[in-house]
Amino acid sequence: MDPPTSNADSNLITLFLCGDVMTGRGIDQILPHPSNPRLYEPVVRSALEYVQLAEEANGPIPRPVDFPYIWGDALAEFERTPPDARIINLETAVTTSEDFWPKGINYRMHPKNIPCLSAARIDCCVLANNHVLDWGYAGLTETLSSLAAAGIHTAGAGKDIAAAQAPAIIDLKNKGRIIVAAYGSETSGIHWNWRATRSRAGVNLLPDLSPRTVEKIAQDLNPMKQRRDLVVFSIHWGGNWGYDIPEAQREFAHRLIDEAGVDIVYGHSSHHIKGIEIHQGKPILYGCGDFLNDYEGIGGYEGYRGDLALMYFITMNNDTGRLANLEMTPMQTRKFRAHYAARQDARWIANMLSREGNDLNTRAEEGADSRLQLRWM
């Protein structure tokens, strides 16, 4: 493990990452500009029903809330450790489109509610996921234009394959750049027809996790990486539940680091937190869980504690490209808002990360300041 270093050092970059941010459906309904609540799900026909479920579980939710409301205690954590860049997987369309994709679950947030993202000063939304096209190609186009108008970078979806594959570049001035490349996998539920082509908008979809695919990614990323740049590889992969990390995912992540110049593998899709690995001094987050969603009051899979979340503060040395520190703040969603997790829940996360990290040579320790600290061999 690298020795502790001070965040005051100019060669240290701290990034904020988190699990899926799902500001559509029920959460959209409590914001100042709710979308048409009409849904096309097998059972639920109105997004307002998700608000009702959450209120039955945890009490009344004020309406409308102000834009910072959903971030709750997370805003204090940003003040405590101001990140150099804030990157999320935005798992919802930002649109007024009524052209729903007949897939059963469709997320959207009204474009006028984008200030809820600006309230947390989000720098980049990765969009290579299985909800960005929930409201059709018109919905994707409006999502891209709405985020651009708000000054938020996007990666992983675009008007054609070239735009979808183009990484977002966050310029940190004298501290270098963050290059965010975003890809999706069919294993997460992204329909193959959603892939972007030369003549069609869509998602940057991986064909597979093979060495040949890594070689193509390396050809795209290596030429653009400059000294002091950090590459974040965002990937939406795997199912919603289960701690198992397929060997194919581990091999793929290792190859990205070894061959494609990737510094952080940012994995998501699972509705709960999964294990973390450090390979060649670089972090691999196999599954970050959900950070904000409207699942309160919905039963099933309680053993995975999908209500718990983490704020990942990843500090990298951009001279060496190695991990200097990884701190995590345990959170819990209640009333569609991020709250500090109770001490016993933070301990549950620490024990789970240590258990799942046993084969990955990592463990989590509780700190006196309510954060968890990752340790690695």
Side-chain angles (χ1 to χ4, degrees), residues 48 97 102 104 112 118 161 171 186 219 264 273 275 290 305 336:
L48 291 168
S97 169
K112 290 183 179 179
S118 302
I161 186 61
D171 191 351
E186 281 188 281
Q219 291 171 357
I264 299 171
I273 303 159
D290 289 339
R305 294 304 307 272
F336 295 168

Side-chain angles (χ1 to χ4, degrees), residues 179-292:
I179 299 173
V180 184
Y183 291 74
S185 165
E186 281 188 281
T187 60
S188 69
I190 303 174
H191 199 287
W192 182 249
N193 288 341
W194 284 21
R195 73 192 187 283
T197 68
R198 291 181 180 178
S199 58
R200 185 181 65 197
V203 169
N204 187 20
L205 198 58
L206 287 170
D208 52 41
L209 303 181
S210 69
R212 172 183 253 176
T213 296
V214 175
E215 183 179 350
K216 173 63 169 62
I217 293 168
Q219 291 171 357
D220 293 338
L221 292 181
N222 282 332
M224 71 174 62
K225 188 175 182 182
Q226 303 171 7
R227 181 180 174 272
R228 308 195 83 194
D229 285 350
L230 292 174
V231 175
V232 177
F233 188 94
S234 170
I235 180 166
H236 204 63
W237 59 358
N240 294 149
W241 305 102
Y243 292 112
D244 179 59
I245 300 171
E247 190 60 32
Q249 287 189 2
R250 288 193 70 183
E251 291 179 1
F252 185 72
H254 290 182
R255 285 181 178 274
L256 288 172
I257 291 168
D258 295 340
E259 301 170 23
V262 167
D263 298 293
I264 299 171
V265 178
Y266 170 33
H268 35 82
S269 179
S270 60
H271 286 326
H272 59 89
I273 303 159
K274 299 182 74 170
I276 302 172
E277 183 176 15
I278 309 301
H279 176 71
Q280 302 292 0
K282 301 175 188 290
I284 303 171
L285 311 180
Y286 283 104
C288 293
D290 289 339
F291 190 73
L292 289 169

